[in-house]
Amino acid sequence: MKLSVVLSALSLAFATFTAQAADPIVIKFSHVVAPDTPKGRAAEYFKKLAEERSKGRVKVEIYPNSQLYKDREEMESLQIGAVQMLAPSLAKFGPLGVRSFELFDLPYIFPNKESLYRVMDGDIGKKLFGMLDAKGITGLAFWDNGFKQMSANRPLHALEDFKGMKMRIQSSKVLEAQMKALGANPQVMAFSEVYSALQQGVVDGTENPMSNLYTQKMHEVQKHLTISDHGYLGYAVIVNKKFWDDLPADLRATLDKAMRDTTVFERRIAQEENDEALAKVKAAGTTQIYVLPFKDRVVWQQALLPVHKEFEEKIGRDLIQGAYRVAAEVEKEKAAQPTAPARKSRPGPVKAE
Ligand code: LMR
C-alpha cells in the first residue's frame, strides 16, 4: 500500500476519533412558552452559561412553544429520557402523582415574592424536590413567573361575575377547586391550545401572568382583564435523574453552578417581563384593564380560603402551615423595618391556625 494512502487512512481514523471524543453531551430542554418570557429567556441564558463554562462539553438544545411536546407529554418524555431538561409550571406535577407541588396553586397563599422565595429556597422546596426522586426526576431550581391575572370576554370584578364562566386551567386539582369556589366552570387544557380555545369560544376566559397572556396574544381574544394577583405561577427546573447522576462529577458541578446563576437572572427579570407585558397589553388597546381594588381582593380571598382547608390532606398540612409561617415571618420583618409601609395591593398572609 502506498504510504500516502496509509497516512490519509490514519488521519481519517484520528479525525473520527477526536470528533467522537469531543462529541458534546446533548441536553434537550423542552418548554411550552414563548422564547421572550421569563422561562424562555432563562433557558437561553442557561444554554449560554452551560456551553461556555463546560467549554463545549455540553450542548443545550432548546425547544420552546410546545414545539416538541405539550404539557403532559413533556413529563412523560423526561421520564423515558427523550428529553433531559424541562421547566414545567408547578401546577403540572399532579398528574405525575406528586400533588404537594399544588401548594403553590393555593389562592393568595403568598402575600409577596419574599415569602415565595423563602418557601422555594427553604425546607419546603427541599422536601418537594425530594418527592421527585421516586419518579426518576431530579429538581434543580425553582424559577419565577409571577402572580396570575384573570381574563375573559366579560368583566370579572365581583364574585358573581364568574358564575357559569368556562375558565381554562392547568392540570391542577387546586386550580379546579379555585375556579369552582368562584362559581366558574374549570376546563383543563394544554397551554398550546389556549389561544384558539379562547378565540373560538370553547372557553370564556383564563388565568395567567401577563408575560404568558401577552406572548400568546391572548389579549387579542380577551376583552377584559382583571389585575387580581389571586394566585401564583412558577416553575421547577427538572432533569432526568439517571442522565444527571451519570454525568461526570465535575461537569455536573459546572452545570449546577450555571443553573444557580441562571436562577438569579431568571428571578431578576421575571417581574420586569411581566410589567412590560402589562404595558404592551395596555398599549394594544384591545383589552379593558381593571385593577381589583384592595377591598375586593379581600372579598376574593375570603371566598377562596376554603380551598386551602380542602387540600390540607392532599398537599400536606405541614407544608401549608409552613408556608403560612414563612409569610407571617416576612410580614413581621417588613413591619419592623424603619421605612414607611407601602400601600397594600395584596391581602396579607393567611392566618396560620
Ligand atoms: C400554563 O399552562 O398556563 C403555564 O403553565 C404555561 C407556562 O409554562 O408558563
Side-chain angles (χ1 to χ4, degrees):
M1 203 184 286
K2 272 168 87 181
L3 182 64
S4 61
V5 175
V6 173
L7 282 179
S8 74
L10 274 178
S11 77
L12 183 70
F14 181 71
T16 314
F17 171 77
T18 46
Q20 270 170 1
D23 260 358
I25 295 171
V26 174
I27 299 180
K28 288 192 178 163
F29 186 166
S30 168
H31 69 82
V32 300
V33 297
D36 51 343
T37 54
K39 175 162 62 179
R41 285 186 58 198
E44 294 289 348
Y45 192 85
F46 173 71
K47 172 183 166 68
K48 186 171 176 296
L49 295 191
E51 291 181 353
E52 275 174 15
R53 293 184 187 174
S54 73
K55 306 205 169 25
R57 283 167 74 199
V58 298
K59 182 165 181 269
V60 182
E61 292 176 0
I62 302 171
Y63 300 92
N65 268 326
S66 310
Q67 225 172 68
L68 214 51
Y69 299 110
K70 292 189 197 173
D71 301 357
R72 199 181 173 124
E73 304 154 3
E74 68 173 17
M75 284 289 197
E76 288 159 8
S77 66
L78 184 79
Q79 284 182 298
I80 60 168
V83 292
Q84 289 71 38
M85 188 176 277
L86 303 174
S89 132
L90 301 166
K92 291 179 184 166
F93 284 75
L96 197 67
V98 202
R99 293 240 89 96
S100 294
F101 278 74
E102 290 177 9
L103 169 74
F104 293 95
D105 297 334
L106 289 171
Y108 289 112
I109 187 149
F110 303 110
N112 45 49
K113 290 263 179 104
E114 289 95 318
S115 338
L116 167 77
Y117 296 149
R118 221 175 267 189
V119 166
M120 287 175 158
D121 300 336
D123 293 344
I124 297 180
K126 276 200 201 77
K127 191 164 177 184
L128 289 170
F129 277 166
M131 293 175 188
L132 298 177
D133 273 10
K135 307 287 171 190
I137 292 174
T138 299
L140 296 185
F142 286 104
W143 286 358
D144 182 17
N145 194 340
F147 293 109
K148 291 179 289 186
Q149 322 304 346
M150 291 283 190
S151 69
N153 271 329
R154 72 174 201 220
L156 297 172
H157 300 179
L159 295 176
E160 302 78 69
D161 299 334
F162 284 91
K163 206 166 176 355
M165 294 290 275
K166 272 186 276 164
M167 300 292 284
R168 179 268 171 175
I169 54 161
Q170 306 173 74
S171 55
S172 152
K173 295 285 177 210
V174 167
L175 297 181
E176 193 179 304
Q178 168 204 275
M179 288 301 184
K180 284 186 179 158
L182 291 169
N185 177 6
Q187 312 263 321
V188 175
M189 189 177 287
F191 186 62
S192 56
E193 289 158 15
V194 181
Y195 174 85
S196 60
L198 290 170
Q199 188 186 38
Q200 290 161 21
V202 176
V203 288
D204 303 309
T206 188
E207 56 166 11
N208 240 306
M210 291 310 297
S211 58
N212 277 347
L213 182 127
Y214 176 72
T215 53
Q216 296 297 316
K217 300 188 171 34
M218 292 182 202
H219 60 291
E220 291 177 4
V221 288
Q222 294 280 263
K223 291 199 178 69
H224 294 273
L225 175 71
T226 301
I227 304 295
S228 49
D229 292 335
H230 61 279
Y232 175 71
L233 192 139
Y235 307 109
V237 186
I238 54 177
V239 282
N240 178 291
K241 185 172 178 343
K242 176 153 177 23
F243 167 80
W244 194 249
D245 291 348
D246 286 350
L247 287 175
D250 65 319
L251 186 58
R252 197 167 50 238
T254 302
L255 296 178
D256 243 331
K257 176 76 171 82
M259 183 53 72
R260 259 179 286 140
D261 293 345
T262 304
T263 302
V264 172
F265 166 81
E266 200 279 341
R267 291 184 186 177
R268 185 165 56 71
I269 63 162
Q271 193 59 46
E272 287 163 24
E273 289 278 321
N274 280 294
D275 292 346
E276 266 172 38
L278 176 59
K280 286 176 181 160
V281 171
K282 267 186 197 153
T286 50
T287 313
Q288 265 200 0
I289 302 173
Y290 175 75
V291 181
L292 194 65
F294 182 73
K295 65 173 181 27
D296 293 333
R297 292 188 186 215
V298 175
V299 174
W300 285 34
Q301 188 188 39
Q302 289 310 316
L304 291 167
L305 258 185
V307 178
H308 291 214
K309 195 103 201 115
E310 188 184 334
F311 282 85
E312 233 173 43
E313 220 174 288
K314 286 273 178 334
I315 292 173
R317 188 176 151 81
D318 56 329
L319 295 183
I320 301 181
Q321 294 293 328
Y324 291 168
R325 266 195 302 276
V326 168
E329 227 172 72
V330 170
E331 204 73 3
K332 212 165 136 195
E333 285 169 21
K334 277 178 180 280
Q337 278 164 11
T339 49
R343 205 174 147 267
K344 267 186 180 305
S345 63
R346 287 176 60 76
V350 181
K351 276 245 159 44
E353 282 161 24

